[in-house]
Amino acid sequence: MTTPNSLGQEPGSAAEPVVRLTAGAVRGRLEDGLAVFRGIPFAQPPVGDARFQAPRPAPGWDGVRDALAFGPPPPQESGIQGRRGAPTGPTGDDWLTVNVWTPEPDPATRRPVMVWIYGGAYKLGHAGSPGYDARHIARDGDIVVVTFNYRVGIEGFARIDGAPANRGLLDQVAALEWVRDNITAFGGDPEQVTVFGESAGAGSVASLLVMPRASGLFRRAIAQSVPGTFFSDPLARDIAASIAAEAGLRPTAADLATVDPRQLTDAGEALVPKMHQYEDRWGALVHTATPFSPVVDGEVLPVTPWEGLAAGAARDVELVVGHNRDEYRLFHVLSGRAGTLGEADASAALRRFGPGADPEAAYRDAFPDRSAEELYELVQTDWLFSMPSLHLAEAQSAAGGRVHVYELAWNAPGLGGMLGACHGLDIPLLFGTFTADLGNLLFANVEPSPEALALSSRFRSSWTQFARTGDPGWPAYDTEHRSTQLLDTDPVVTAYPEETTRRLWEGVTFGALPLTA
């Protein structure tokens, strides 16, 4: 019997590193100086009697299993603004898989580990997306990087009878448990794990911070553009009943399991254009184009992240939180309505999303020089992403935890620069994937400039330095100085740059969205 050498390679197979895990051995591939392993199962396929249930441990295997291709994407809808088209890749039921990029699969090296959680409105996304190719992060930072799939949409987040809530979050916990039990074999340190994610991935990170089942599974966290939408249990159940009705079914695991997972996504997709009909019951969330969010069910997710952090739930977890300056610009431009909105549109948006008793007057007084279209966009940026992100940081700071805040203010060059520092821009900058997925739009037909490459490198160095030391390279946030890293062509540390908005939202509580009727 042969044994792997110090690189985890079998003798005579220099291009095929092999590592031994708790479930069996896997064979990867050397790529650009890294050992890369793809499609390793961390849980059983969630089908059959495992459908709509908490993830179950993956069975072991004999021999050496090839880990050369990404696992199939979880069932999902065809797209949302900015992320259109169903994902391509292998098909099958083995959705719950992990991927690893490591500089050296040697158990003696013990490098820091970064675990990526993708976004996609809790209804889209998969770790095999080219935009999440982690080679630059792993190589530039000398870091082990893990990505994984989790259930989205109906399979992962619909609140139905006969199934635990937040199955997508439970998948994430199972992936982190796999990291704890196996990452040493890849040269990673299970005591130095940082979770990081964007948009719904950042909402997932925020959830994990206050979930008892995730306690102790990571030491640090980075939340990029945290959405403020978390559902109360009554609201989530009402939404699930409407989704099931689209398929002519009851909102139960037994009923929904009679429909193939890839066909059941049609029910969620069919509901989206009808969501405005439910505004009297579901409130402002009907304008978010997704009927899915984490559910504050009292068990899997006991409280909202803001409440949990303020109470000290993650006081010992070092945290980076931030947002992009023009978050909602992406959705506004892609809606086709840019340049067409008037005062009535601005008034409706301000009343719907703004804080306080008279949010329209407050915003117009605070921003007297902004056009109607700018106000329409600004209040939705604030409600959906920027203020939830800032308030998460302030909750952590108030509880005595350490948190660093940033704002991305660099303008995307795509579409003639009209997208500004929009939602999702941090992904191609962080991963260096300028020509993949969202990068195709944000950098469309534009070769990355020296400024873009320098900012991209700055992102990776800050993120990996934080994973290694707990310090991203700028001062921690507190309510006296409000130190914020402004990420732009010339990055600087400043007081929080959106002070006018911060004051408008001071004292606002981000609670679980209620069922209003």
Side-chain angles (χ1 to χ4, degrees), residues 23 71 242 348 370 388 398 408:
S242 297
R370 298 289 184 101
L408 175 60

Side-chain angles (χ1 to χ4, degrees), residues 264-308:
L264 190 57
T265 60
D266 294 344
E269 195 158 14
L271 178 66
V272 171
K274 304 175 184 178
M275 284 175 61
H276 288 75
Q277 303 173 12
Y278 298 91
E279 188 165 11
D280 61 328
R281 291 179 8 220
W282 301 350
L285 83 88
V286 304
H287 301 277
T288 64
T290 177
F292 305 105
S293 277
V295 182
V296 182
D297 67 308
E299 181 179 351
V300 176
L301 184 60
V303 294
T304 66
W306 300 271
E307 181 183 355

